[in-house]
Structures are given as structure tokens and as C-alpha cells.
Amino acid sequence: MPGINPLLVDTCSPPIPEAQGWARRYAGAHGPFVDLSQAVPGYPPHEGILARLAEAAGSPRYAGYGAILGDLALREAYAEHLGELYGGALRAAEVAITAGCNQAFFVTMLALAGAGDAVMLPTPWYFNHKMTLDMLGIEARPLPCAAESGFVPDPDIAEGLVDERVKAIVLVTPNDPTGAVYSPEVIARFQALCRKRGRWLVIDETYRDFLASGVEPAHRLFADPHWGDSLIELYSFSKAYCVPGHRLGAITAAAPVIEEIAKVMDCVQICAARPGQAALAWAVPALRDWRAHNRAEIGRRVAAFRAALAPVPGWRIDSIGAYFAYLRHPFPDATAREVAERLVVERGVLALPGSYFGEGQDGHLRVAFANVDAVAIGTLAARLDGFAP
């Protein structure tokens, strides 16, 4: 058999299917299976989205190729939305629509760095980010984020890790896997660092729609008229609009950067799926109240998770926010994988082992609670009581 690219062979396999496979061994002794493994909305899309998806899918207009960078209506709607959020004047020419945020990250990394370069990732890291860099031959340079600091990276530490090989620093806020939310001040300091050192700041805001209501904007970077000289923003429509299966995301960057990214996009997708783009072009401006309602619902699930864990001895929430909690388990002699596997097989609760998110994470499990309602979350105390791997 001919050889396979060794960079791809050395890249780890997607980990979630392994964990989901453990669930098939749960016999149901503690009630219905509780899936806390994957960040999936636990409620349906708005009926208006579904109606427009159906209409567009049945229309010859959306059966053909669209623009490489996405249909203009969605690019305009998203640019206007970002401007409203962050106070900037953004244009459609600064937006590319992708097949999900994972693809947005992939094509952005391909545009910014090459084999032998390095990109800084906050640790613990989102495993698909690490997989992307591995298969491209780009070093994933760890940016430490400790529990003692709330899993928020320190710009001063980051600066000490920047050398000539580092082309970009990636921030993920709210964070996957920890749920940590970086303050506007921390984000601004990272922007200043990247501008000072001539590097790119890539900020993944997939979960920004689930920041607590009433808080200040996540950052003010787009209000700077020179934001495009060092900033690239990534986004996913999947969570806020409950359409992960339609695979739609976005990149926001200076127009010359978007033009270069278009070369990559033409080779990997030609255009993102168009029925979803048509539905979202309507939904972005029209569903503000609906998104706010869903944000409040996720907030209730956060509160339910805190309440469920409070009476359970030994388990500790080290970080929580948006869709995720990073949970320290009380078994120092067991690996996170052992704890997660036994927890789902014996108690019917599936969380992901921290070891899926990098080295030194065996003391934690990642919990994604958006997929289950507050009633199911409320069963966790009884299921954890007396559990030992």
C-alpha cells in the first residue's frame, strides 16, 4: 500500500466517538443516560429558521454554486451584527462564511502559518485546534492557563513564549474546554502584544452568545479603526441558532486577508451550504429576543449544575461558563479516562476526560451541559454519590 502523509498519521483520532462508545455499555441502572460530552444545543431551532431552511432547500436558486466567501446577504448581516456588538464599522468584504468554525480555524491557520512555524494555543486546548496544527506541520505552542488563575492566560507569560517561529496567538473565549471567560482587559492586552510583536491575534468566539446577560461587551477590539492589522475573529452559528448540522461559521479579518483566505476556501469547499446561509441572513437580525431567551436558559442550566454539585464531596468546579464546566474529580490515583469511562458505564453520565484536551489534565473532566435540561442536571448529585472508579 502506498504511504500516508506522516503528519496525518501522527495526528490523534477524533476523541468524542471513543467516549460515546463507552455509553453503549450502560445498562440503565441509574435512570436515563445523561450525555454531557458534546456541545450541542438541547433545544430546537426557531420555527422561522426551519421554515426558511425548507423553503431554500426546495428552491432552484440555492441549488447552484454561490460566492466563494459566502452569500452577500449573510455577510452583510453578520458584519452589521458585529458592529452593533463591538462598536465598529464592519463591511461584508471583511467577512467570509465557512462550513463551521472548525473549517474557519483550519483555513485561517493555513493562511497564517506553514510547516515549521508555531501557533500559540491556550492550554488545556480544544482538541480540533491541536489536530489541525499537527496535520499542517505547525507547532502547537502551549500557552499555560492554570486553575489558580481561572484558566485565563497571562499576556506577560505569552510574550515570553513568542519567538521568530510564532505567527499567531489563539484565544478561545468563552473557552472550550474550561468555560473560562477572558476579560476585555486581558483580550486588549493580547491585542497590544500581537500588534507590538507583529503577530496575529486569532480569537475564537464560538460561545460568545452565552455570556451572562447584562455584562459589558466581550471586548472592544473592532472599535479600533486599525483592528485589521493584527486581528482575526472566528465564529460559529451552530450554537446560537441551533443548526450544527448545517455547518456554518464565519471569519472576520481585513479585506486583503479575506481575499487570501478565499484561495483556500475555493479549494476546500467552493462555497458553504446555501440554504442555511439564506435562513441565517434572516435570523441574525430577526432573532435577538429568541437568542436572549436561550442565553437565559443556558444560565439556568449553569445554576442547576452548580446546585447539583454543591452537596457532592470531593468534586470541585474549577471553572464554568457558557456551555462548559471544568470539573476536578476526587481520584488522584485514577486517570481522567478511567474516571470518565467508569462514570458512564456504571452511572450513565458521560463527560469527556481532561486528557483529551492536552497533557497534565488527568485531574479533570469536561462537562458540556447545554445538551441536557435542568431536570437531568439535577440527577447528578445522586449519580455521583458513592461513585469510585
Side-chain angles (χ1 to χ4, degrees):
M1 177 185 295
I4 300 293
N5 180 352
L7 292 174
L8 186 59
V9 172
D10 291 341
T11 299
C12 70
S13 297
I16 288 182
E18 176 192 45
Q20 291 174 334
W22 302 333
R24 291 192 286 269
R25 292 154 49 201
Y26 173 57
H30 290 267
F33 170 57
V34 178
D35 187 355
L36 303 172
S37 67
Q38 196 167 19
V40 179
Y43 40 81
H46 188 277
E47 59 185 16
I49 292 178
L50 293 174
R52 284 164 176 80
L53 280 168
E55 180 182 1
S59 168
R61 176 183 175 188
Y62 293 103
Y65 287 126
I68 294 170
L69 292 173
D71 289 351
L72 183 59
L74 180 54
R75 295 170 70 197
E76 289 178 335
Y78 185 67
E80 182 176 352
H81 175 62
L82 271 188
E84 292 173 353
L85 280 178
Y86 295 129
L90 299 168
R91 301 174 294 124
E94 295 162 331
V95 174
I97 303 302
T98 62
C101 195
N102 272 1
Q103 188 188 72
F105 183 83
F106 191 99
V107 301
T108 298
M109 292 302 104
L110 195 59
L112 301 187
D117 291 332
V119 168
M120 203 173 293
L121 295 182
T123 59
W125 45 42
Y126 174 47
F127 45 75
N128 283 143
H129 286 175
K130 174 64 161 54
M131 291 169 66
T132 292
L133 297 182
D134 286 348
M135 66 181 66
L136 292 175
I138 300 168
E139 176 197 346
R141 181 78 53 87
L143 173 57
C145 302
E148 295 75 21
S149 62
F151 293 101
V152 175
D154 185 330
D156 292 332
I157 292 175
E159 183 162 19
L161 298 172
V162 174
D163 59 23
E164 69 281 355
R165 293 177 56 226
V166 172
K167 304 302 180 184
I169 298 174
V170 175
L171 300 182
V172 183
T173 178
N175 187 261
D176 178 4
T178 66
V181 176
Y182 308 164
S183 71
E185 291 73 24
V186 166
I187 295 172
R189 288 176 61 199
F190 271 101
Q191 172 69 337
L193 165 61
C194 288
R195 181 170 283 157
K196 169 185 165 184
R197 299 294 297 270
R199 304 299 192 270
W200 289 101
L201 177 64
V202 179
I203 181 166
D204 182 333
E205 296 193 293
T206 292
Y207 300 98
R208 67 152 185 260
D209 299 279
F210 302 96
L211 290 166
S213 59
V215 302
E216 60 185 325
H219 57 77
R220 303 175 185 87
L221 302 185
F222 286 114
D224 179 349
H226 304 294
W227 66 266
D229 62 9
S230 55
L231 175 65
I232 297 175
E233 190 250 14
L234 310 180
Y235 179 70
S236 169
F237 296 99
S238 296
K239 278 62 177 183
Y241 300 91
C242 305
V243 288
H246 289 278
R247 309 309 305 134
L248 288 165
I251 303 169
T252 304
V257 178
I258 293 293
E259 290 171 8
E260 294 302 314
I261 286 174
K263 300 174 186 177
V264 187
M265 302 286 285
D266 189 40
C267 292
V268 299
Q269 72 170 32
I270 300 181
C271 64
R274 301 188 65 212
Q277 292 190 65
L280 288 172
W282 166 81
V284 170
L287 296 185
R288 291 180 176 86
D289 291 345
W290 181 76
R291 293 196 302 271
H293 171 81
N294 292 339
R295 180 174 63 246
E297 172 58 25
I298 295 300
R300 287 189 286 270
R301 296 182 191 192
V302 170
F305 187 80
R306 288 187 185 277
L309 269 291
V312 184
W315 295 80
R316 186 178 79 206
I317 300 172
D318 272 350
S319 183
I320 190 168
Y323 261 45
F324 304 108
Y326 211 50
L327 187 62
R328 182 175 290 278
H329 67 76
F331 309 108
D333 295 327
T335 67
R337 187 185 184 282
E338 291 168 340
V339 174
E341 183 176 6
R342 297 285 290 186
L343 184 61
V344 67
V345 171
E346 296 182 6
R347 302 298 174 103
V349 177
L350 178 60
L352 296 186
S355 52
Y356 281 1
F357 303 93
E359 296 181 359
Q361 304 302 317
D362 262 324
H364 289 89
L365 304 181
R366 189 202 76 173
V367 173
F369 44 74
N371 189 39
V372 295
D373 61 22
V375 174
I377 292 171
T379 70
L380 294 178
R383 297 193 191 215
L384 293 176
D385 184 40
F387 167 77

